[in-house]
């Protein structure tokens, strides 16, 4: 069965179909939640909340955006909610550098290059943690999940111009943080930037 067929079966109450959907998506859902939350514990909770929301929402799922896109949206929202709750208990979420893999260093780097890559990765992760929820959400989906602008627009339920503008602003904010901390050297977005077209919410 395809993902859409499984989703339709699960919407009709087929628990086995939903379990298969969870198996197919659990790794990507957890990775997205981890990259947004930073903490493995928060990511696991957010992933669980996303799947619970999916199970409850499936009877009303119409499939316009596709099940995977819809699930990413639920995961993103759950991660943001979890992050906000965590920030009430501590100043900022902890970042697990071993679990969050930014491709700052390719191949088999020298010890010096590895050290510089680790320093850069730490700086970028720290900078991401300082962005607003909206900016961190958009930049995570673009740079770490490697979604297209169109996919991000579907996940966040925003128009394309708003997505491009938000990501552009997020990159600018991250650069300012890195410059301020003396860590800009070596940081380049993994995607070719596109100029935002039109207005929208940012």
């Amino acid at each position: 069965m395809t993902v859409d067929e499984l989703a339709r079966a699960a919407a009709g109450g087929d628990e086995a179909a939903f379990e298969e959907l969870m198996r197919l998506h659990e790794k990507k859902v957890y990775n997205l939640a981890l990259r947004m939350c930073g903490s493995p514990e928060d990511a696991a909770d957010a992933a669980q909340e996303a799947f619970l929301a999916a199970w409850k929402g499936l009877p009303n799922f119409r499939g316009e955006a596709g099940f995977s896109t819809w699930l990413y949206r639920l995961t993103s929202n759950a991660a943001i909610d979890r992050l906000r709750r965590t920030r009430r208990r501590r100043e900022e979420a902890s970042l697990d550098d071993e679990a969050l893999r930014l491709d700052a260093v390719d191949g088999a780097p020298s010890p010096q290059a590895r050290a510089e890559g680790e320093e850069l990765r730490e700086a970028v992760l720290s900078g991401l943690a300082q962005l607003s929820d909206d900016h961190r959400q958009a930049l995570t989906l673009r740079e770490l999940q490697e979604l297209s602008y169109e996919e991000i627009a579907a996940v966040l339920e925003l128009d394309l111009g708003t997505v491009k503008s938000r990501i552009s602003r997020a990159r600018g904010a991250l650069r300012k943080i890195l410059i301020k901390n003396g860590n800009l050297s070596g940081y380049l977005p993994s995607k070719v930037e596109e100029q935002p077209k039109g207005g929208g919410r940012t």
Side-chain angles (χ1 to χ4, degrees):
M1 296 177 72
T2 66
V3 168
D4 289 338
E5 288 171 341
L6 287 169
R8 286 193 292 271
D14 187 335
E15 294 186 13
F18 186 70
E19 288 176 3
E20 179 65 10
L21 286 171
M22 290 181 62
R23 186 189 69 79
L24 292 172
H25 291 88
E26 61 183 351
K27 186 174 181 179
K28 289 184 177 180
V29 164
Y30 175 77
N31 285 340
L32 172 57
L34 178 61
R35 285 164 171 168
M36 293 190 67
C37 294
S39 161
E41 293 80 9
D42 285 342
D45 287 341
Q48 185 175 12
E49 290 168 7
F51 279 121
L52 180 60
W55 174 250
K56 291 180 176 179
L58 266 173
N60 300 317
F61 176 62
R62 297 291 176 262
E64 291 89 348
F67 177 81
S68 297
T69 298
W70 179 65
L71 183 59
Y72 288 153
R73 182 187 307 154
L74 295 177
T75 305
S76 181
N77 290 339
I80 289 294
D81 289 341
R82 174 63 52 177
L83 211 61
R84 287 170 177 165
R85 290 197 293 270
T86 300
R87 282 172 179 168
R88 294 190 190 106
R89 299 192 302 267
R90 58 194 184 199
E91 290 186 0
E92 62 181 24
S94 62
L95 291 169
D96 187 343
D97 190 50
E98 289 300 315
L100 291 167
R101 301 288 185 182
L102 292 180
D103 295 329
V105 182
D106 296 323
S110 66
Q112 181 180 352
R114 184 180 293 109
E116 291 174 353
E118 290 296 329
E119 183 180 352
L120 174 60
R121 178 160 46 242
E122 251 182 64
V124 172
L125 292 174
S126 177
L128 282 171
Q130 297 175 54
L131 298 179
S132 69
D133 288 338
D134 286 345
H135 285 176
R136 184 181 186 184
Q137 182 182 47
L139 200 57
T140 296
L141 291 171
R142 178 62 176 165
E143 299 295 344
L144 299 180
Q145 290 301 109
E146 299 184 345
L147 298 187
S148 68
Y149 287 103
E150 291 76 11
E151 288 170 329
I152 296 171
V155 167
L156 301 183
E157 296 184 296
L158 298 172
D159 62 72
L160 193 58
T162 297
V163 168
K164 292 180 179 180
S165 176
R166 185 169 294 183
I167 290 173
S168 177
R169 288 172 181 267
R171 284 173 173 156
L174 181 57
R175 284 197 191 95
K176 288 181 180 178
I177 292 170
L178 295 175
I179 289 173
K180 181 180 178 181
N181 295 332
N183 296 114
L184 184 61
S185 177
Y187 171 72
L188 288 174
S190 61
K191 303 290 183 236
V192 176
E193 292 193 39
E194 299 179 26
Q195 292 300 319
K197 295 181 181 178
R201 291 176 289 159
T202 60

